[in-house]
Amino acid sequence: MTTDTEQGSDGGPLRRLLDGRWSEIRDRARSLELERFDPPSYDLSTEQHRARILHRLEEFAASGLPRVGFDAAYGGSGDVGGGMVAMEMLGFRDLSLMVKAGVQWGLFAGAIAALGTERHHRAYLADAIDGRLLGCFAMTESGHGSDVQSLETTATYDPETEEFVVDSPTPTARKDYIGNAARDGRLAVVFAQLITGGTEHGVHALLVPIRDETGNPRPGVTITDCGRKAGLNGVDNGRLVFDQVRVPRDALLDRYGQVAADGTYTSSIESAGRRFFTMIGTLVRGRISVAGSAQNAAKLALTIACRHGLARRQFPRPGGTDEVLLLDYRAHQRRLLPALARTYALSLAQNDLLADLHEHLTAPAAEEQVRERTQREIESRAAGLKALSTWHATRTIQTCREACGGAGYLAENVLPQLRADTDVFTTFEGDNTVLLQLVGKGLLTDYSSQFEDLDVLGVARAVADQFVGFAIERTVNRGVLERLRRRRGVQPEIRDRDWQLALLEGREKHLVETLALRMRGRLARDKDPFAAFNAVQPHLLAAASAHAERQVAEAFLAATDDCPERADLLDLLFDLHLLSGIEADRAWYLEHNRISDARSKEIIGAVDDLCEQLRPHVPELIEAFGIPEAWIDAPIAQLPASPGREPIRSGAMHG
């Protein structure tokens, strides 16, 4: 395995490609020397683990990396993308720290920055950014998680005292799973139904103190501990209940909705639905960071499993004495190499999305309709990529655990804790199934004019009124794709870019158009929007997934243009990613006559061939992840055998 010195001080062309625009931030994160403690985290009590993570949070704050994404007026550099990358990098190191940091800087401080105005920024941001003021993001309730518009917590304005009265009127209004709440948080961003003069104005966010300076709950605030979880036990998740808690009028984060002293409500956004989606849309960064952290966790798992496969030997060849390396077995390659290729695809799509979000948030003010459409498109891509990335992490980490046999089940080899810590990623920062429904609704409606109607009735109206035809909207410049197609020259049809992309595009187009037709037919027959939507829900999810997969493939293909030194290797990776995905879905392609029986078998053979061709490049591919050696602390993740060093052979541990 090569070293950074052998590849060059920057880690080589693949490392540069994966690091992308924010390589300097990634290197700063890699240089973090977070204090190491004994014993390992899996031997700690909940309280010990939380204390360790708080200490590491303080170290992370002292590094200055959390400031990167915030305005220079509060000690930052205004680098939105860089700030998100810094948070994602913790996915390599300590997922409890990543989540607690995400709560503190991505959600708590991020909400103040995005939803508050200058007075909130002056009062709170500097302390929140430097970690002197620890906070919570209190959105999810016992009764409502994904359906934020139906939250039950209320914030009723009292004009006589110029205060909001925050209350949990029902047991299901309890705020649940709130990070930083059980132990360390002092101030919470609380999402509640805003009521003035007897009129509800929808969900808004307010700053509510939950603890005093001594750490005791404030009057009217009840705090309980969620207790031990399957993973992430360094994060102090808690529950919050409010009993007529009074906060001043300026506690309202009022960038998008203001309440005057007499209780008059005003907003620059007239539509309540559009206002809600605008407010929630400002928080999309958390969703993108979770996707990136999940990808990094998958990279760590693949590094451990691939290194193990490059070192461990099992069974001699017939007639021989030397045992065979695990990664030389085709079945083992089939387990790990498609996951490795997909990890590259998702990472490069993540880089592309991060760059677009950064440009969108830092660009000069554009015409409102254009800006809103861009925002909705980014939100849709973020939702799809988060779903694909977190499901991929869950599957990949389990695959890596199995590929390492019984050794992979040992806590010291990291994979069990990694699996437990990432499991919740599929349901927080947006449940994946709900996120794909949002993507699907966006395919059926026009985001630029349907903000207030993204409910079932609104989607039904749009489908009934719109032309059923569906045009592919590319996220990557068409000229880039055409240039990459030409670069390939003459290829066997199965590896021809036009054929591959046409297959993806054809599936997406077919699913969306038939989805609209089915829904329109149900509406005409039953006159019931919910029944029509519910009947086609699995179809909608399939369409959304196909849409997100096509976007990932485009981003992967376009990124290869930025790494001409390893273009041939990236072409192999792209082919493996695309063809292994088609192989997994070949039942659909066969049912819809998109491929023949013979072509289906050819795809299986091509995946086998690609695994064989990529096998010698595995050390380079995993080293390009740039994970510091100190962070790969699984004993089975030793470097491959070298002269004078014996590889691992079969031992007493059986998988």
Side-chain angles (χ1 to χ4, degrees), residues 254-497:
D254 59 352
R255 179 177 178 183
Y256 296 106
Q258 303 80 40
V259 175
D262 65 357
T264 302
Y265 179 85
T266 56
S267 174
S268 59
I269 305 174
E270 292 184 8
S271 163
R274 186 176 175 190
R275 183 167 58 245
F276 170 78
F277 281 104
T278 300
M279 286 193 289
I280 297 301
T282 62
L283 307 175
V284 70
R285 298 182 218 182
R287 191 164 288 163
I288 296 175
S289 291
V290 168
S293 298
Q295 293 164 16
N296 287 345
K299 290 172 187 174
L300 178 57
L302 284 164
T303 298
I304 294 169
C306 286
R307 282 189 175 189
H308 181 64
L310 289 164
R312 184 176 175 86
R313 296 179 180 273
Q314 290 272 20
F315 306 111
R317 298 174 186 272
T321 57
D322 290 339
E323 293 181 320
V324 179
L325 284 171
L326 287 183
L327 205 56
D328 285 338
Y329 287 106
R330 182 58 47 80
H332 210 74
Q333 294 169 7
R334 274 286 200 145
R335 278 175 157 179
L336 297 177
L337 298 194
L340 183 59
R342 184 168 177 79
T343 300
Y344 266 73
L346 292 168
S347 295
L348 295 172
Q350 176 82 357
N351 287 352
D352 189 55
L353 178 58
L354 266 174
D356 286 350
L357 177 67
H358 179 87
E359 293 302 324
H360 171 65
L361 294 178
T362 58
E367 193 269 323
E368 184 177 3
Q369 188 174 7
V370 173
R371 187 169 182 81
E372 287 174 343
R373 182 171 183 82
T374 300
Q375 176 73 24
R376 300 308 160 197
E377 289 171 349
I378 288 173
E379 289 170 19
S380 176
R381 286 168 61 194
L385 188 58
K386 188 267 181 183
L388 297 187
S389 297
T390 53
W391 273 327
H392 171 67
T394 297
R395 288 191 297 267
T396 298
I397 294 167
Q398 176 63 22
T399 296
C400 290
R401 206 294 296 158
E402 294 178 18
C404 293
Y409 197 61
L410 295 177
E412 69 174 8
N413 285 322
V414 177
L415 295 169
Q417 192 63 54
L418 201 59
R419 181 177 59 182
D421 285 346
T422 56
D423 188 42
V424 74
F425 283 15
T426 60
T427 53
F428 85 171
E429 287 297 320
D431 178 281
N432 284 356
T433 299
V434 175
L435 291 181
L436 285 182
Q437 288 185 63
L438 294 177
V439 174
K441 288 177 181 179
L443 297 174
L444 292 173
T445 61
D446 179 2
Y447 271 135
S448 66
S449 61
Q450 297 284 342
F451 292 104
E452 67 274 21
D453 284 332
L454 285 179
D455 55 9
V456 170
L457 181 59
V459 173
R461 286 172 177 162
V463 171
D465 294 342
Q466 289 178 3
F467 175 62
V468 175
F470 175 71
I472 297 291
E473 289 192 20
R474 298 199 178 281
T475 56
V476 175
N477 182 281
R478 184 177 293 274
V480 171
L481 297 181
E482 292 301 326
R483 183 167 68 253
L484 289 166
R485 285 166 165 167
R486 289 195 301 270
R487 189 188 76 193
R488 294 271 295 180
V490 178
Q491 293 286 338
E493 185 178 348
I494 200 167
R495 294 187 61 191
D496 179 73
R497 291 287 177 258

Side-chain angles (χ1 to χ4, degrees), residues 53 71 74 147 155 196 222 242 249 297 390 478 595 611 637:
I53 294 304
D71 192 273
Y74 307 101
D147 185 7
T196 63
T222 299
F242 304 101
R249 181 168 62 95
T390 53
R478 184 177 293 274
I595 60 174
C611 286

